[in-house]
Amino acid sequence: MRIAVCPGSFDPVTNGHLDIFFRASKMVELLIVAVFHNPNKKPLFSMQERVEMLTIATQDIPNIKVDYFSGLLSDYVKKQNSNVIVRGLRALSDFEYEFQRALLIKKIDPMIETIFMMTSNEFSFVSSSGIKELAKFGGPIDGLVPTCLKERIIQRIHES
């Protein structure tokens, strides 16, 4: 079975993320969307909330499994019987950062391959941090986040 892992913080999940998930899911038998616990970030949503929101947002994509992890991505990928990582890119700055990470993972485990997918043009400017900032100041986030999660995201941002 061809399994790929798509890791990220997904705080919150955006339509740009969903674009990558949907397209990547067509290339594999199972796509594991894995929420990474990054100790260097203070997330808006808890790990459990992000897993729950991703599960809701991806429920129409049958070959997606939502999970979470902490520690080395290469270890997690191997534990999932995979050797493929999918990373979404929006801009050249994303590529530079992700390219360095991919090379580091390749150094740790030469059997793991990283696939870079460009997001669709309509989502090239969408980021989780941009969504949080826009919503914080009352800007519209319609079409930028899953409709089923929009109110939950706005509510949390206004609470924080």
Side-chain angles (χ1 to χ4, degrees):
M1 176 185 283
R2 175 58 86 190
I3 300 170
V5 174
C6 187
S9 56
F10 310 116
D11 187 44
V13 60
T14 70
N15 285 347
H17 294 132
L18 291 179
D19 174 56
I20 296 296
F21 302 159
F22 179 73
R23 292 170 38 226
S25 73
K26 292 178 180 179
M27 300 183 332
V28 295
E29 293 173 67
L30 177 64
L31 179 66
I32 301 171
V33 176
V35 181
F36 171 62
H37 169 69
N38 186 341
N40 298 324
K41 289 186 177 182
K42 184 168 172 33
L44 182 63
F45 292 94
S46 71
M47 178 76 71
Q48 181 179 359
E49 289 172 314
R50 287 180 279 159
V51 167
E52 179 186 337
M53 291 191 314
L54 280 162
T55 301
I56 292 167
T58 61
Q59 65 186 344
D60 293 333
I61 308 172
N63 62 328
I64 284 187
K65 170 186 162 188
V66 179
D67 197 12
Y68 63 93
F69 73 102
S70 61
L72 288 176
L73 176 57
S74 56
D75 289 344
Y76 177 79
V77 169
K78 286 188 282 190
K79 285 179 187 172
Q80 300 306 312
N81 296 315
S82 178
N83 67 339
V84 178
I85 298 169
V86 175
R87 301 298 298 187
L89 301 176
R90 293 171 305 203
L92 187 58
S93 57
D94 285 349
F95 176 75
E96 291 178 37
Y97 175 75
E98 295 296 345
F99 183 66
Q100 288 178 353
R101 289 178 61 182
L103 290 176
L104 186 57
I105 289 171
K106 193 66 147 166
K107 179 72 173 166
I108 294 168
D109 188 334
M111 299 305 293
I112 296 177
E113 296 293 343
T114 300
I115 296 172
F116 298 110
M117 292 186 72
M118 295 302 299
T119 191
S120 297
N121 283 342
E122 64 194 286
F123 303 116
S124 62
F125 63 92
V126 178
S127 68
S128 293
S129 57
I131 296 296
K132 289 185 271 193
E133 185 175 335
L134 186 61
K136 180 179 180 179
F137 294 107
I141 59 172
D142 302 278
L144 305 177
V145 298
T147 304
C148 58
L149 299 174
K150 180 184 138 191
E151 292 306 320
R152 182 175 182 173
I153 293 167
I154 290 170
Q155 181 180 354
R156 175 58 58 82
I157 289 169
H158 289 151
E159 289 172 355
S160 64

